[in-house]
């Protein structure tokens, strides 16, 4: 087959150089998009009378055939640099040299930018739908645990009582932002570079609005130099995948911790567990660990992409080709991890007794004991903090638990520290130290009280309805 080198050069590249510079592997994912781009461009050339209707129709017909024949119908020899040339060669093999008209007012530079945007926007939507499904599952799971008391941590030390539902809904809020971030990025992905041609547009009277409409872009890019060289839309998308990955990694980390004998708060499904080749008792959270590991991949790809992008002079430089495989890898790992982590997390069983047991231990309710001193006795919170700190200190030394804390014990400590006795009733003290009570009275927006978590769940359900509808689901 004749190829684009034949005019300018006397010889082809060495096989090694051809293979080294080829983008064919990463281009496989661009196959359908490239047909669409060619189709839209040729239709526009026909509509504007830039090429004859008869030739345009032959090209469009060949492109249609290729869609049916599939990727395997393309012929790749070392002279074929990329999928764009392979597709043009296919059309040439079907209709002859008139295929050459399809490249009028078009360059592979604007074509590849257009293709990547088309493919990426679909991938973003797919990941967004995955996030919505995960959110939906978590909201449902939270509904089953609205009143199940759990312990919250700071520094991975017992902090304050919450509910299992409140914890699950924290992940929901993070996932919702991951979704919205992609929604925002999508606006900058879904822009049309076609018509930028090599870098300075063309002297043919092309209709960029028409290709924009045909390809479902929101608008066309208004500077042809920017059109062929901008890849910030890729860096931004991968950054969003990195943040989504970090949400998923946090979930995996919790699954690993929570499934330990020491925490004992969840039972992982067998489907997501492995055993040991030597220790027959083992139930290991391998899937969660691998997912935790794989969530680093997108970060690596982001750094690679940013490093390639840095200081590339305007306009198109072949370095840009090198970005695409890293984008695909980031998408693949993120998509696969999202799917597995979603199913794994939703198949977890909570040990509700153990969760509530932990919440009642280790003075996780101490903040409320200080709060009632402020509320009932009007002492400054800092004073209450000091008294309660000392209560916990002495109680721990004497191996006392929450139930052993009495009004007189508290007053002895208050006196020791030089404060007035507080005279709190034992009943009030025990209520303050009760984890379920702690949760119940945290009924402010964003709090763990079941009615507040229910408000948050309803708001998220509303969000899901709107977004599923927008995505046509
Ligand atoms: N394979 C190239 C890429 O992915 C397509 C554009 C090639 N353009 C060029 N002038 N060599 O970026």
């Amino acid at each position: 087959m004749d190829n684009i080198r034949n005019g300018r050069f006397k010889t082809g590249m060495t096989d090694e150089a051809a293979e080294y510079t080829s983008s064919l592997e990463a281009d496989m994912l661009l196959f359908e998009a490239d047909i669409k781009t060619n189709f839209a461009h040729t239709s526009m050339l026909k509509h504007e009378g830039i090429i004859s209707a008869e030739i345009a129709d032959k090209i469009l017909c060949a492109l249609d055939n290729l869609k049916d024949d599939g990727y395997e119908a393309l012929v790749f020899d070392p002279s074929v640099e990329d999928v764009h040339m392979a597709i043009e060669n296919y059309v040439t093999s079907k209709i002859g040299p008139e295929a050459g008209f399809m490249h009028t007012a078009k360059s592979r530079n604007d074509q590849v930018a257009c293709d990547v945007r088309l493919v990426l926007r679909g991938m973003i939507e797919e990941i967004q739908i995955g996030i919505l499904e995960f959110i939906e599952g978590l909201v449902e799971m939270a509904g089953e645990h609205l009143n199940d008391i759990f312990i919250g941590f700071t520094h991975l030390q017992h902090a304050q009582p919450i509910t299992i539902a409140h914890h699950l809904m924290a992940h929901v809020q993070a996932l919702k932002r991951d979704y919205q971030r992609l929604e925002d990025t999508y606006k900058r992905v879904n822009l049309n570079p076609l018509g930028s041609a090599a870098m300075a547009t063309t002297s043919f009277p092309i209709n960029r609005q028409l290709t924009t409409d045909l390809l479902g872009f929101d608008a066309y890019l208004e500077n042809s130099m920017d059109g062929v060289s901008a890849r910030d839309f890729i860096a931004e998308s991968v950054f969003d995948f990195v943040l989504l990955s970090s949400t998923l990694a946090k979930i995996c980390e919790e699954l690993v911790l929570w499934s330990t004998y020491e925490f004992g708060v969840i039972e992982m499904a067998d489907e997501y567990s492995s055993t040991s080749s030597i220790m027959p008792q083992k139930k290991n959270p391998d899937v969660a660990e691998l997912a935790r590991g794989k969530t680093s991949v997108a970060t690596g790809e982001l750094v690679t992409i940013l490093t390639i992008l840095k200081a590339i002079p305007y306009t198109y430089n072949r370095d840009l080709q090198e970005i695409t495989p890293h984008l695909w890898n980031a998408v693949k790992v993120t998509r696969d991890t999202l799917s597995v982590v979603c199913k794994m997390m939703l198949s977890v069983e909570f040990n509700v007794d153990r969760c509530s047991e932990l919440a009642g231990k280790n003075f996780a309710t101490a903040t409320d004991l200080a709060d009632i001193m402020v509320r009932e006795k009007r002492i400054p919170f800092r004073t209450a903090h000091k008294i309660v700190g000392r209560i916990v200190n002495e109680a721990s030394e004497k191996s006392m638990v929450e139930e052993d804390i009495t009004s007189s014990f508290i007053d002895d400590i208050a006196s020791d520290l030089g404060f007035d006795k507080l005279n709190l009733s034992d009943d009030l003290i025990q209520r303050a130290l009760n984890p379920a009570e702690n949760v119940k009275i945290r009924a402010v927006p964003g709090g763990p009280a079941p009615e507040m978590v229910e408000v948050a769940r309803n708001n998220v359900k509303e969000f899901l309805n709107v977004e599923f509808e927008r995505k046509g689901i």
Side-chain angles (χ1 to χ4, degrees), residues 181-201:
R181 211 172 280 119
L182 284 167
E183 191 68 20
D184 200 54
T185 295
Y186 188 96
K187 292 182 208 151
R188 285 173 290 279
V189 173
N190 201 31
L191 298 171
N192 184 14
L194 202 61
S196 302
M199 52 83 66
T201 69

Side-chain angles (χ1 to χ4, degrees), residues 4 21-24 27 30 81-84 107-113 116 198 231 316-322 324:
I4 50 164
T21 53
S22 165
S23 60
L24 279 171
D27 283 356
L30 297 178
E81 282 181 22
D82 50 34
V83 73
H84 322 294
S107 157
R108 286 180 296 164
N109 298 352
D110 59 344
Q111 194 172 341
V112 72
V116 174
R231 294 293 185 277
Y316 181 84
N317 295 268
R318 197 69 180 274
D319 319 38
L320 296 175
Q321 170 179 304
E322 202 54 30
T324 319

Side-chain angles (χ1 to χ4, degrees), residues 145-373:
H145 295 291
L146 276 178
N147 294 295
D148 292 335
I149 306 299
F150 192 23
I151 181 69
F153 300 87
T154 60
H155 313 271
L156 202 57
Q157 305 284 330
H158 278 208
Q160 293 174 326
I162 49 165
T163 62
I164 296 172
H166 194 54
H167 194 120
L168 294 173
M169 290 301 292
H171 289 310
V172 163
Q173 297 296 340
L175 286 165
K176 184 177 159 195
R177 285 193 299 280
D178 291 329
Y179 174 90
Q180 289 169 328
R181 211 172 280 119
L182 284 167
E183 191 68 20
D184 200 54
T185 295
Y186 188 96
K187 292 182 208 151
R188 285 173 290 279
V189 173
N190 201 31
L191 298 171
N192 184 14
L194 202 61
S196 302
M199 52 83 66
T201 69
T202 173
S203 55
F204 289 100
I206 56 171
N207 182 341
R208 295 195 66 197
Q209 189 56 49
L210 182 54
T211 55
T212 299
D213 295 341
L214 288 172
L215 293 168
F217 284 118
D218 292 330
Y220 52 79
L221 288 158
E222 278 196 299
N223 180 294
S224 59
M225 294 171 67
D226 179 53
V228 293
S229 56
R231 294 293 185 277
D232 51 304
F233 73 96
I234 296 184
E236 185 181 345
S237 302
V238 176
F239 173 73
D240 294 351
F241 301 149
V242 169
L243 283 188
L244 168 62
S245 297
S246 90
T247 306
L248 300 174
K250 189 182 286 218
I251 291 172
C252 292
E253 167 71 359
E254 285 180 352
L255 295 183
V256 172
L257 280 176
W258 290 354
S259 60
T260 57
Y261 178 78
E262 288 72 13
F263 273 80
V265 302
I266 57 161
E267 188 67 35
M268 298 279 286
D270 288 359
E271 287 87 336
Y272 294 98
S273 306
S274 303
T275 189
S276 153
S277 59
I278 183 168
M279 299 170 282
Q281 85 286 5
K282 291 284 272 176
K283 182 173 181 183
N284 293 331
D286 287 33
V287 182
E289 288 168 328
L290 278 164
R292 187 177 56 185
K294 283 177 196 269
T295 49
S296 307
V297 172
T299 310
E301 299 299 22
L302 176 63
V303 173
T304 304
I305 289 166
L306 290 172
T307 315
I308 296 172
L309 266 180
K310 177 181 149 291
I312 290 188
Y314 275 121
T315 57
Y316 181 84
N317 295 268
R318 197 69 180 274
D319 319 38
L320 296 175
Q321 170 179 304
E322 202 54 30
I323 290 176
T324 319
H326 296 284
L327 167 64
W328 297 157
N329 195 36
V331 169
K332 179 176 166 26
V333 177
T334 307
R335 194 173 45 196
D336 293 354
T337 305
L338 174 63
S339 170
V340 167
V341 173
C342 169
K343 294 179 191 117
M344 174 168 59
M345 177 69 211
L346 297 179
S347 65
V348 155
E349 287 291 336
F350 280 90
N351 180 347
V352 291
D353 293 339
R354 175 68 175 155
C355 290
S356 119
E357 180 195 346
L358 286 176
K361 292 265 171 69
N362 206 12
F363 293 97
T365 47
T367 314
D368 258 36
L369 188 56
D371 282 354
I372 57 159
M373 292 176 183

